[in-house]
Amino acid sequence: MTTIASRLQAVKARIFEAARAAGRTPGEITLVAVSKTFPPQAVAEACAAGQTDFGENYAQEGIEKIAALFDLIRQRNASPERPQTWHYIGPIQSNKTRSIAEHFDWVHGIDREKIAERLSASRPDDKPPLQVCIQVNVSGEASKSGVTPDAVFGLAQTIMRLPRLRLRGLMAIPEPTSDPALQRSRLRMLREIRDELLRRGVELDTLSMGMSDDLEAAIAEGATMVRVGRAIFGERGASAG
Ligand SMILES: *Cc1c(COP(=O)(O)O)cnc(C)c1O
């Protein structure tokens, strides 16, 4: 087994164990393998080990990797059992909305109406609607990205009116803290906001939270998608995201 395959298996075992400990079904939790900064060969290895969902932070890098992976798989004539699903999880610049809408299946970090509108307008007609999450700032002043909790409902209503987007849920990147109780309460906050939206009639099935270091806490708080990079692909280079 390759290193990536065995690390992937270890991460799946962590997800399984965390789900079991929380009384949840492991099948409710999707693992998004965050391949930013790693080459297409690394993604191909993960595909060969059965991984289908991948996350990228930078539009250009992600798009080049999607194309390179397609060629690689074709060259090896080894079609994976299932096609890949690509998640854009990075910050969204407005001049990148078109290329993101053309190449990705999911976008996790929507935090402005203008970005949502642009993504919807440039989603190609021959593809299904773009699956999206609203990024919520659960860390208060410690973070600048994401909408404030009181603005989530308004943004959700805007997104639900956009024809080429399908609102799936909420996403957060809690600022790292050495205080486990604080980390936990930030994860819980995202679930509570989701529950409040459900009460107000917004249909959501996704809570995208949890990374290499906090996936257990995130699953305990209800995560349905964990985004894991280092624990699968190894440490990223010092200069890389
Ligand atoms: C890099 C990144 C991850 C993965 O983080 P790891 O610590 O490598 O698991 C998850 N989500 C987002 C938004 C990221 O930028």
Side-chain angles (χ1 to χ4, degrees):
M1 211 186 320
T2 66
T3 310
I4 287 174
S6 62
R7 286 202 186 115
L8 199 50
Q9 204 169 61
V11 169
K12 285 187 195 159
R14 284 174 63 190
I15 293 171
F16 188 91
E17 185 50 35
R20 201 196 53 78
R24 301 183 55 204
T25 312
E28 295 171 5
I29 299 149
T30 300
L31 170 61
V32 177
V34 179
S35 47
K36 63 184 175 197
T37 79
F38 290 96
Q41 287 77 6
V43 177
E45 263 185 53
C47 286
Q51 179 63 24
T52 54
D53 286 69
F54 294 92
E56 286 286 332
N57 278 57
Y58 309 100
Q60 197 54 38
E61 180 192 341
I63 290 163
E64 284 168 13
K65 210 173 292 180
I66 293 168
L69 186 74
F70 182 81
D71 289 344
L72 241 156
I73 288 172
R74 209 177 36 186
Q75 275 165 26
R76 294 182 183 177
N77 205 6
S79 54
E81 279 173 34
R82 284 170 293 169
Q84 297 87 43
T85 300
W86 288 91
H87 300 253
Y88 186 80
I89 62 171
I92 310 164
Q93 294 166 300
S94 44
N95 64 348
K96 294 282 163 44
T97 47
R98 173 169 294 280
S99 51
I100 291 169
E102 284 175 353
H103 293 93
F104 286 84
D105 305 295
W106 281 70
V107 174
H108 290 228
I110 296 192
D111 63 359
R112 274 171 293 162
E113 294 193 354
K114 188 181 131 203
I115 293 292
E117 283 160 2
R118 291 178 70 115
L119 287 170
S120 180
S122 39
R123 180 67 169 171
D125 288 334
D126 61 349
K127 296 203 168 184
L130 195 57
Q131 312 293 301
V132 303
C133 294
I134 294 173
Q135 184 176 350
V136 185
N137 176 1
V138 293
S139 309
E141 309 238 304
S143 170
K144 288 190 197 70
S145 52
V147 289
T148 56
D150 59 359
V152 179
F153 184 65
L155 183 53
Q157 286 185 305
T158 299
I159 292 175
M160 286 188 294
R161 282 195 294 268
L162 293 170
R164 301 295 291 142
L165 300 188
R166 169 136 184 260
L167 181 62
R168 296 294 298 272
L170 306 179
M171 177 264 210
I173 314 172
E175 283 296 308
T177 153
S178 51
D179 177 353
L182 179 59
Q183 192 74 2
R184 188 74 184 250
S185 73
R186 287 170 171 169
L187 296 165
R188 183 172 316 136
M189 187 190 288
L190 194 70
R191 170 163 56 84
E192 288 169 353
I193 296 167
R194 192 265 325 258
D195 291 345
E196 175 62 22
L197 291 189
L198 288 175
R199 277 194 291 276
R200 295 172 80 171
V202 180
E203 278 178 39
L204 304 172
D205 62 12
T206 300
L207 269 188
S208 166
M209 60 186 190
M211 316 201 294
S212 292
D213 294 332
D214 65 351
L215 71 88
E216 282 84 2
I219 289 170
E221 293 297 346
T224 66
M225 268 190 187
V226 291
R227 310 176 308 264
V228 178
R230 290 169 298 128
I232 296 170
F233 295 107
E235 292 299 323
R236 289 181 288 273
S239 63

